[in-house]
Amino acid sequence: MVENAKKLIVFNWKMAPNSTKEARRLLGAIIDSKFSILNSEIVVVLPFVYLPFFANFCGLKRESTRINKKEKRLSLKLGSQDVFWEKQGAFTGEISTIMLKNLGVEYVLIGHSERRKYLNETDEVINKKVLAGLEAGLKVILCVGEPEMELRIKNKGLKKTKNYIKKQLEKDLKNILLNYSKSRILNSRLAIVYEPVWAISANNTGKTCKPEDALEIIKFIKKTLNSKFSILNFRVLYGGSIDSKNIGDFLKYPEIDGVLIGGASLKIKEVEKILK
Ligand code: PGA
């Protein structure tokens, strides 16, 4: 069950662009586009170095003047691509939940497959980050997804994929009930992104996930969160090679609560078309 009917559109810039000037152009394209603040919630997940700039640019501190463009700026949400689980101390190179909150960051992306692969982030580490993020009051976007494409056997569901995702959820959300079972606050602060690793554009496999398959897995994730974790109000998104041409094929399903967009989020023309 999802109480929030707004679709969540997450732009993940990954390690790009190279300069604040380019970052400003990209953000400008989002604000100037025709997106409606009523039917979607837009989150831009940025490299740490651009977070303060974005907070300023979007006027995260609300002012009294009501200008349409300003309202749009205010409705854009700020997200980081990672966070550390300890609150403070001798952890060189890390960024805490408190630092993010103080900047006006609302969302944090955790467990992206690129961090699992290049930084060897384990499910144990991801679990610590999920719990720390939620405890601090951040909204957590947790990425899960299988590494290899499962071939569909006639009349059989995506069994292997479901098993893989279930195990990931069990490990990444471990103890979530212990800490938050009765908390409705938790429920609306968790989003899961189903990102089949083989369908992410940077992996250059040439394969894309069929919207029907994404739907099947997303329904499975919802069922698992409901039955196994008793989490009721959350969102499940799809990510992997989303662009202006295929976004509608995924978002047309009411069960798909949004999308996470990587490569296409760095192309101004694509961003404009996507937001239309
Ligand atoms: P993609 O990336 O849209 O370029 O496939 C998605 C992601 O990895 O976040």
Side-chain angles (χ1 to χ4, degrees):
M1 185 183 77
V2 178
E3 284 171 13
N4 193 336
K6 278 189 183 186
K7 297 280 188 185
L8 187 61
I9 313 291
V10 184
F11 290 117
N12 175 17
W13 287 6
K14 309 195 181 191
M15 198 174 70
N18 285 336
S19 68
T20 308
K21 197 173 158 199
E22 289 170 78
R24 183 190 292 270
R25 281 184 60 226
L26 275 171
L27 283 173
I30 298 176
I31 288 163
D32 291 340
S33 72
K34 296 205 165 57
F35 85 84
S36 149
I37 58 173
L38 296 176
N39 55 26
S40 50
E41 189 178 346
I42 302 196
V43 183
V44 188
V45 172
L46 302 166
F48 288 128
V49 289
Y50 298 132
L51 292 173
F53 154 72
F54 180 104
N56 261 337
F57 187 80
C58 293
L60 284 175
K61 289 193 187 77
R62 185 174 270 275
E63 289 165 29
S64 55
T65 19
R66 277 193 63 250
I67 305 167
N68 215 355
K69 215 164 174 178
K70 188 165 267 169
E71 285 300 311
K72 270 191 174 181
R73 286 185 179 205
L74 293 168
S75 75
L76 269 187
K77 303 288 167 57
L78 183 56
S80 79
Q81 297 180 2
D82 187 37
V83 73
F84 194 59
W85 61 85
E86 293 288 351
K87 289 197 173 82
Q88 198 185 1
F91 305 102
T92 304
E94 295 302 330
I95 302 285
S96 72
T97 52
I98 301 160
M99 291 174 189
L100 294 179
K101 286 220 55 164
N102 284 341
L103 261 186
V105 173
E106 201 172 318
Y107 283 87
V108 58
L109 193 67
I110 296 176
H112 192 283
S113 59
E114 283 148 17
R115 295 194 62 83
R116 294 182 193 251
K117 178 177 163 190
Y118 296 113
L119 293 141
N120 294 322
E121 273 199 9
T122 60
D123 289 304
E124 197 187 358
V125 160
I126 289 162
N127 177 241
K128 285 187 192 179
K129 292 182 175 185
V130 169
L131 296 180
L134 291 171
E135 193 194 321
L138 289 164
K139 291 179 180 161
V140 167
I141 305 174
L142 169 68
C143 302
V144 295
E146 77 287 4
E148 304 287 341
M149 181 181 178
E150 180 179 349
L151 291 178
R152 236 178 212 280
I153 302 166
K154 218 176 163 209
N155 300 329
K156 293 234 167 83
L158 296 160
K159 226 172 158 186
K160 269 197 204 152
T161 304
K162 287 177 186 166
N163 270 336
Y164 189 94
I165 304 281
K166 190 168 161 226
K167 284 198 189 117
Q168 258 187 341
L169 287 173
E170 276 165 7
K171 290 185 214 154
D172 297 349
L173 298 178
K174 196 174 155 199
N175 288 339
I176 203 167
L177 275 189
L178 215 69
N179 293 316
Y180 302 102
S181 62
K182 298 268 163 2
S183 163
R184 276 184 56 79
I185 301 163
L186 158 76
N187 289 333
S188 54
R189 280 202 274 111
L190 181 66
I192 308 287
V193 191
Y194 169 54
E195 282 212 303
V197 180
W198 50 269
I200 292 177
S201 66
N203 292 335
N204 291 318
T205 61
K207 295 175 189 157
T208 48
C209 181
K210 286 189 199 144
E212 313 85 80
D213 289 350
L215 178 68
E216 182 174 334
I217 299 299
I218 282 172
K219 281 185 180 167
F220 171 77
I221 292 174
K222 291 192 166 183
K223 216 172 97 194
T224 308
L225 288 192
N226 277 160
S227 59
K228 200 159 172 56
F229 297 97
S230 313
I231 302 174
L232 297 177
N233 187 25
F234 53 86
R235 288 183 278 197
V236 187
L237 326 181
Y238 172 76
S241 298
I242 289 285
D243 58 23
S244 61
K245 292 199 187 83
N246 62 18
I247 187 169
D249 301 335
F250 291 86
L251 290 184
K252 72 178 182 201
Y253 294 111
E255 293 90 345
I256 301 185
D257 301 314
V259 285
L260 187 143
I261 306 167
S265 69
L266 295 167
K267 297 177 193 146
I268 287 187
K269 286 259 165 316
E270 271 296 286
V271 169
E272 286 167 355
K273 283 190 205 158
I274 284 167
L275 292 173
K276 248 186 197 168

